[in-house]
Amino acid sequence: MTQHLELVQSLRQAGHRLTPQRESVLAVIADSHEHLSAEEILARVRKRYPYLNKSAVYRSLELLTELGLVTLTDLGHGRVEYELHRHPHHHHLVCRKCKSVQQIDHRLFQNLQKKLESDFGFRADLDHFAIFGTCRKCSTRTAKNPKRHSH
Amino acid sequence: MTQHLELVQSLRQAGHRLTPQRESVLAVIADSHEHLSAEEILARVRKRYPYLNKSAVYRSLELLTELGLVTLTDLGHGRVEYELHRHPHHHHLVCRKCKSVQQIDHRLFQNLQKKLESDFGFRADLDHFAIFGTCRKCSTRTAKNPKRHSH
DNA sequence: ACACTATTTGCAACTGGTCGCAATTGCATC
DNA sequence: GATGCAATTGCGACCAGTTGCAAATAGTGT
């Protein structure tokens, strides 16, 4: 939980207030080592603050993402997932057809990331990235049998 | 409109039916040279088919995207935007803080795209991509004055 | 400890998008 | 041009997430 403390510090340093709501959202994320959906976060937070409102959770998550303390990934499952920002990170290849998710190493992105920073001064959040496309299986399958597509 | 015809062909070839709903969604997208939100597409389609249901539009768009005829971009404005798939394409750098959008050349992605295909057999839809992060202006600003962040 | 005020929260209404299912329809075959 | 049936649509309920606004409160200064 020293991590938790650090996070609280970053928040305050960036000029934001530390409310019990934010504190508990942070705690939940810091304590978990998996991806969490907003819904799951809300449920866990409510164990400590039963009446906490969902907009508070969403607003906290938005802020934490903006501050770079939390990463957000849309794996195309209809809900966004949050995770404490840890280094280094993996990325995801998400197949639009079969919805499979494949992890890839973060180093694949380093060149691009550096180039964006040097050319445009843009600090890309490429720490936890989802790329959509068609996986090997689905590419070959559709080439043979146009009609079939699983889901 | 020859383009429109080609699109219809691709649809049929992939084993899908050509319904008036799909046809009009396609026509609207093919006729427009800007990004269109689903809502805008729905509105335009209704000029021809006044009672067309929104789910039909969404389902058509999903299909067209899957077939690669249409590209979909989430610029973080709370709504996804659709566009006819034209080559070559630009990409977008979206600042999480000031929400500004900056276009960049598609060639920045070619290496990555090739690598994903050769290493994983994954055909990434990198034709129209949005990368989130912090733009130059916002990086320097937050370093100086932690509190300020426009929106 | 108290007052002040900008930030944050709770609430409830709203929005964009999805889903299950019954009714309809494109199109292949006769 | 009629038949059959799987693909597709319409519908309404639903879901995740957002927003505007009035009420509450963290943190600053006294």
Side-chain angles (χ1 to χ4, degrees), chain A residues 12 16-20 38-39 54-55 58-59 78-80 147:
Chain A
R12 307 285 331 277
H16 299 279
R17 291 187 185 166
L18 180 63
T19 62
E39 192 186 16
K54 68 173 176 167
S55 13
Y58 282 110
R59 286 192 275 232
R79 62 159 56 74
V80 162
K147 243 178 154 173

Side-chain angles (χ1 to χ4, degrees), chain B residues 6-103:
Chain B
E6 278 173 39
L7 295 170
V8 167
Q9 299 261 346
S10 320
L11 225 175
R12 308 283 333 275
Q13 267 175 24
H16 299 280
R17 291 188 186 164
L18 179 63
T19 63
Q21 291 88 337
R22 281 180 183 163
E23 205 271 324
S24 48
V25 168
L26 250 177
V28 163
I29 296 182
D31 286 2
S32 165
H33 275 256
E34 356 147 42
H35 295 201
L36 292 177
S37 67
E39 192 187 15
E40 180 64 24
I41 292 171
L42 182 59
R44 295 193 187 189
V45 167
R46 282 201 171 142
K47 287 180 188 162
R48 306 171 71 209
Y49 285 84
Y51 299 114
L52 188 126
N53 195 270
K54 68 173 175 168
S55 11
V57 171
Y58 282 110
R59 285 191 276 230
S60 300
L61 290 171
E62 187 191 3
L63 177 64
L64 296 173
T65 306
E66 211 174 79
L67 294 175
L69 304 178
V70 160
T71 54
L72 170 163
T73 319
D74 176 0
L75 296 177
H77 297 141
R79 63 160 53 76
V80 162
E81 288 171 14
Y82 298 87
E83 192 174 17
L84 193 63
H85 190 166
R86 296 176 222 274
H87 294 281
H89 243 306
H90 54 277
H91 304 281
H92 305 268
L93 301 179
V94 183
C95 179
R96 275 196 214 283
K97 292 193 178 150
C98 66
K99 313 294 179 194
S100 70
V101 177
Q102 185 180 170
Q103 296 203 357

